[in-house]
Amino acid sequence: MKSFPLAIVAAAALAMGGVVAFAQPRDAVSRVQTAAVAEPQSRNAFERLRDYVMDRNGTERAFDNAYWNNHEAGIYVEARTGEPLFASTDKFDSGSGWPSFTRPIDVSSVTRRTDQSIGMERTEVRSAQGNAHLGHVFNDGPADRGGQRYCINSCAIRFIPRDQMAAEGYGEYLPLIDRPAAH
């Protein structure tokens, strides 16, 4: 009978399927980063994660995602529609393990919804064109930059490096990248 409670805990953990995120060391090699460049077997796992996050309002693991520690110049677009969302000049290290931004490129590119899914009230951020879940916005960002922290799932966005922006049709956003980053 003593193993019965343990069996319940184990079954609950399996049923959650990765919903519970565990803290990861900041310098750990990201399995998601590896999956993003790996062959089809890993790509399928990455696509399942993307679908879970974008379609079912999920969250990827902290410090185990492609862009939490990306410091390269460029823009971040919605992963499916290509809608421009965030500029690298508005990105900052929040310590959360997810890419964080002080603002979107255009406020009309995202929509906000009240989210009470985990027993607390948060503000969900969705892409305007694709209506996909991106993450959440909080009021604990840098005060000198507006005070907001857009905490975004890496798998819901795609990074376009500055030197590829014009070739991929995002040349009009180069002035945003070439301006000095506000800190």
Side-chain angles (χ1 to χ4, degrees), residues 87-155:
S88 60
T89 49
D90 294 316
K91 189 173 187 286
F92 70 100
D93 183 2
S94 67
S96 67
W98 291 280
S100 297
F101 305 89
T102 57
R103 63 183 178 179
I105 289 173
D106 181 342
V107 294
S108 68
S109 66
V110 297
T111 60
R112 296 176 177 211
R113 291 188 192 170
T114 299
D115 174 4
Q116 297 177 328
S117 64
I118 61 169
M120 61 185 276
E121 189 168 304
R122 302 179 294 172
T123 302
E124 177 190 13
V125 178
R126 301 184 71 83
S127 62
Q129 287 179 9
N131 191 31
H133 174 76
L134 302 172
H136 293 86
V137 62
F138 302 96
N139 292 321
D140 61 359
D144 62 333
R145 296 174 65 189
Q148 300 212 302
R149 172 175 57 99
Y150 285 81
C151 188
I152 305 299
N153 289 284
S154 286
C155 64

Side-chain angles (χ1 to χ4, degrees), residues 9-45:
V9 171
L14 287 172
M16 293 182 80
V19 171
V20 178
F22 297 96
Q24 300 294 309
R26 288 176 156 247
D27 56 353
V29 174
S30 169
R31 288 188 310 266
V32 174
Q33 285 175 321
T34 304
V37 297
E39 288 307 305
Q41 182 179 21
S42 294
R43 180 163 163 66
N44 290 337

